[in-house]
Amino acid sequence: MDALSLILHGCRLAKDLEERLGDLANQPETLSRSCDDIIHMFAGARERLNNAHPQDPSLFPQQQQTDPSLQEWLNYGVITQAMDVIQSSISMQAMDVSDSGRGSSSSSQRSHRSSSRKHDEDKRTIRLPAPQMGNTDLPPEDNYTWRKYGQKEILGSKYPRAYYRCTHQKMYDCPAKKQVQRLDNDFYMFEVTYIGQHTCHMSSTAPSIAPPPAPPLVQDPMVITQPMVSQPILPPTSSSAATLGTWLSMEVSVSGSSSGGRGGGGDASASSAAGIRYGRDAVEFPAVADMADAMFNSGSSSSNSMDFIFPHREDKWEAGDKDN
DNA sequence: GGCATTTGACCTAA
DNA sequence: TTAGGTCAAATGCC
């Protein structure tokens, strides 16, 4: 069985478990067995993935047939996030990453308006959980300072899309922009689209300590399996599949941080230091945490590729770049 | 006063 | 023609 099949099988088992969670609440042995099965699936998948070349097309077939309900669940889960990152990476590899001069958001040139709708725009879309504490209406921190310049109701979307550009756009002619929109079916998730690259930290007059790069082009399909950020275990408060998917994605970080906090990054100290926690209720949920731990805490010595989502914040504070 | 946000109007790619 | 993206005046906050 290939890695993807194992992952999908594991997802099915997890979904089954989710649906029966209420019934099995008083059956720890059964719960434990189910978790073991799921762990076994993901562990097997991880083993195969670790031994495979990242660009092995067999890992992620273009059209994997799955049942609709599972697919729907996956749409909001870690697998899809991984796919998003991978696809984004692939599409970016196909284009000239250098965007200097292109799509410059020079506000004085009206003829360039809406240029971001062009297909060749340097775009990367990721999904990020809303801050659990503080103002959950704010998009997640990403180490850059943004100025909101617009908000728009989007057809077919429940929530408006907010438009941000780099605070230093004028000062450093930085073309970076981002769009933030809540997911229709998950109020606690943002879809963040980054457009253009930051040039503000490259300017000779820019702050000497540059913030980490914007969510970069991820080359490693395993990126999603790396720890993201430390934070409390965040189980879903509802039984919706989408929520579980979201929560599972958050579990990545939990397991990562709890596994000895080895470096690499991911340390989420940043968010924690900033007094921000992502996700929802901080309730213990050990069984699935174990599962996620088995899924993502491989003990891999690779560096934390998820820094792009929750990068180190030390730089930021040191640079004193936070002016929001 | 300076800066950020809001919001209606405008522009333009699809 | 429509919907997404941006502008810019008004407003609010520090």
Side-chain angles (χ1 to χ4, degrees):
Chain A
M1 195 180 283
D2 61 274
L4 189 56
S5 298
L6 284 170
I7 292 171
L8 291 173
H9 197 154
C11 289
R12 287 194 184 92
L13 291 176
K15 187 168 185 256
D16 287 344
L17 178 60
E18 182 205 11
E19 289 169 350
R20 296 159 53 212
L21 209 46
D23 300 334
L24 299 178
N26 297 322
Q27 303 177 44
E29 291 94 346
T30 308
L31 274 175
S32 177
R33 265 200 308 277
S34 298
C35 290
D36 284 343
D37 291 342
I38 296 166
I39 289 168
H40 185 71
M41 287 297 154
F42 286 120
R46 188 190 63 211
E47 214 167 289
R48 284 163 175 73
L49 290 169
N50 284 343
N51 293 331
H53 190 278
Q55 295 182 346
D56 180 357
S58 66
L59 290 178
F60 298 100
Q62 284 295 318
Q63 294 295 332
Q64 181 73 18
Q65 291 300 313
T66 60
D67 71 77
S69 60
L70 176 61
Q71 192 60 54
E72 182 184 58
W73 178 63
L74 290 174
N75 281 343
Y76 305 98
V78 59
I79 304 301
T80 295
Q81 289 193 31
M83 292 295 197
D84 286 349
V85 173
I86 293 163
Q87 286 170 3
S88 168
S89 172
I90 291 170
S91 64
M92 290 306 302
Q93 288 175 34
M95 68 176 72
D96 182 4
V97 174
S98 167
D99 62 343
S100 58
R102 171 168 49 83
S104 164
S105 58
S106 171
S107 55
S108 61
Q109 301 189 2
R110 282 174 105 79
S111 62
H112 288 164
R113 288 172 66 168
S114 301
S115 61
S116 63
R117 291 171 73 175
K118 291 177 181 174
H119 288 145
D120 60 349
E121 195 69 29
D122 176 6
K123 275 184 164 184
R124 290 94 60 202
T125 301
I126 61 174
R127 289 178 181 176
L128 298 175
Q132 182 184 5
M133 297 179 68
N135 190 349
T136 58
D137 290 334
L138 295 176
E141 284 268 356
D142 57 12
N143 263 13
Y144 287 96
T145 55
W146 301 94
R147 175 171 177 159
K148 189 176 184 177
Y149 66 89
Q151 179 166 303
K152 186 95 178 163
E153 296 289 338
I154 300 300
L155 203 73
S157 295
K158 258 194 269 182
Y159 307 108
R161 177 178 300 166
Y163 299 88
Y164 296 84
R165 60 177 158 234
C166 180
T167 302
H168 308 116
Q169 183 199 48
K170 286 193 172 72
M171 206 183 314
Y172 304 126
D173 197 28
C174 179
K177 283 182 276 188
K178 75 171 178 179
Q179 302 172 358
V180 179
Q181 187 167 16
R182 286 186 192 277
L183 297 187
D184 283 351
N185 18 26
D186 193 340
F187 182 82
Y188 294 93
M189 282 296 278
F190 286 102
E191 185 169 273
V192 183
T193 300
Y194 290 89
I195 303 164
Q197 306 274 339
H198 281 276
T199 59
C200 47
H201 59 274
M202 297 174 189
S203 164
S204 58
T205 54
S208 58
I209 301 178
L217 313 178
V218 179
Q219 307 293 335
D220 182 0
M222 290 297 290
V223 58
I224 226 70
T225 70
Q226 302 300 326
M228 285 195 291
V229 56
S230 22
Q231 52 191 291
I233 295 170
L234 303 163
T237 52
S238 79
S239 61
S240 75
T243 306
L244 177 60
T246 297
W247 172 68
L248 278 174
S249 70
M250 295 306 299
E251 273 303 298
V252 174
S253 50
V254 176
S255 58
S257 67
S258 65
S259 64
R262 198 190 145 268
D267 91 327
S269 47
S271 298
S272 304
I276 297 173
R277 285 157 55 201
Y278 294 100
R280 276 149 272 190
D281 305 323
V283 181
E284 291 297 328
F285 213 65
V288 190
D290 285 347
M291 179 187 78
D293 189 62
M295 284 173 64
F296 302 111
N297 180 19
S298 66
S300 160
S301 60
S302 60
S303 61
N304 180 5
S305 305
M306 290 304 287
D307 280 358
F308 79 90
I309 294 179
F310 299 105
H312 292 286
R313 301 295 170 100
E314 289 79 9
D315 293 347
K316 182 178 187 176
W317 308 129
E318 288 170 13
D321 191 32
K322 181 173 177 61
D323 57 29
N324 279 345

